[in-house]
Amino acid sequence: GDSVTQMEGPVTLSEEAFLTINCTYTATGYPSLFWYVQYPGEGLQLLLKATKADDKGSNKGFEATYRKETTSFHLEKGSVQVSDSAVYFCALFSSFFNKFYFGSGTKLNVKP
Amino acid sequence: GAGVSQSPSNKVTEKGKDVELRCDPISGHTALYWYRQSLGQGLEFLIYFQGNSAPDKSGLPSDRFSAERTGGSVSTLTIQRTQQEDSAVYLCASSLAIGYGYTFGSGTRLTVV
C-alpha cells in the first residue's frame, strides 16, 4: 500500500520563526496530498491540499507544494505564532485504494 | 448537520465489556471512514463505507471489531470484549463522494481500564 513519512517532533520554535515540516510519500498512481492540523483537545481540521503535481496549497500563511519528482509535500510558514502550536499530519488520498494514508504527526510548540 | 458528529466524545469502559461508537456524517455524504489514533501514533485506517456497503474492511484489527451503516447515514463501530490496547481516539470522516473533500469529526476517546 501507499505510505507517508513525516519528520518526527516535537518541533520547538520561537514566535516569528520560519517553519518547515518535511513530508515524503510513496504512492500508486496519482494521489491527492493534504496537511491536517489537530489543535489540543480538538479533531482533525483540513489545513491545505494539493491535487496534482506542482500545485501549491495555502491557508492561514501555511504553504505546501506537490513535488512529484521528489515525492514530497513539505509544509512551510514564514512566521509562526503561538496559536500555531498543534500537531500537524501529512496525508495522501489514494484513488487507487480509496483511502487516506497519514503520517505519524509532528507536534509543533511555538514559544512567545 | 453542519459537521461530522461523533458520540460519545469520551468513553471509559472496563476490560471485557462491549462498546458502541457512533458517527453522524454530514447530510448527503455517501462516503464514510473510520480511523483510529493511538497515543503518539498516526492515524490507522479501519474501514470505509460507500453508501451502506463496506468495500474495504481491511483495517479492522480483529474480529472483535465490526461496523455498520444504515440508511446511508449513521455508522456504528462496535468493539466487543474490549482490551486495553483498544484504548485510542476513534475518528470518523465523511465525504460527498470518494475523492472529494473529507471532514473529520472530533473523535471518541476510548479508555479501557
Side-chain angles (χ1 to χ4, degrees), chain B residues 48-83:
Chain B
Y48 90 89
F49 290 89
Q50 179 60 38
N52 291 335
S53 64
D56 188 348
K57 306 178 183 180
S58 64
L60 294 177
S62 73
D63 58 9
R64 295 186 296 106
F65 287 72
S66 63
E68 65 174 14
R69 189 179 186 195
T70 54
S73 181
V74 172
S75 176
T76 303
L77 177 69
T78 301
I79 309 173
Q80 296 179 308
R81 306 181 302 281
T82 51
Q83 303 295 313

Side-chain angles (χ1 to χ4, degrees), chain A residues 32 34 36 38 41-46 49 87 89 93 95 97-105, chain B residues 33 35 37 40-43 45 48 56 58-59 89 91 98-107:
Chain A
S32 296
F34 302 79
Y36 280 87
Q38 188 174 34
E42 298 185 14
L44 286 172
Q45 299 176 28
L46 177 64
K49 69 177 182 181
V87 181
F89 291 90
F93 183 81
S95 56
F97 295 107
N98 281 335
K99 65 176 80 166
F100 273 100
Y101 294 86
F102 285 85
S104 56
Chain B
Y33 292 74
Y35 287 83
Q37 184 179 18
Q41 303 294 315
L43 278 77
F45 169 79
Y48 90 89
D56 188 348
S58 64
V89 176
L91 289 166
I98 300 290
Y100 280 67
Y102 291 81
T103 303
F104 281 83
S106 297

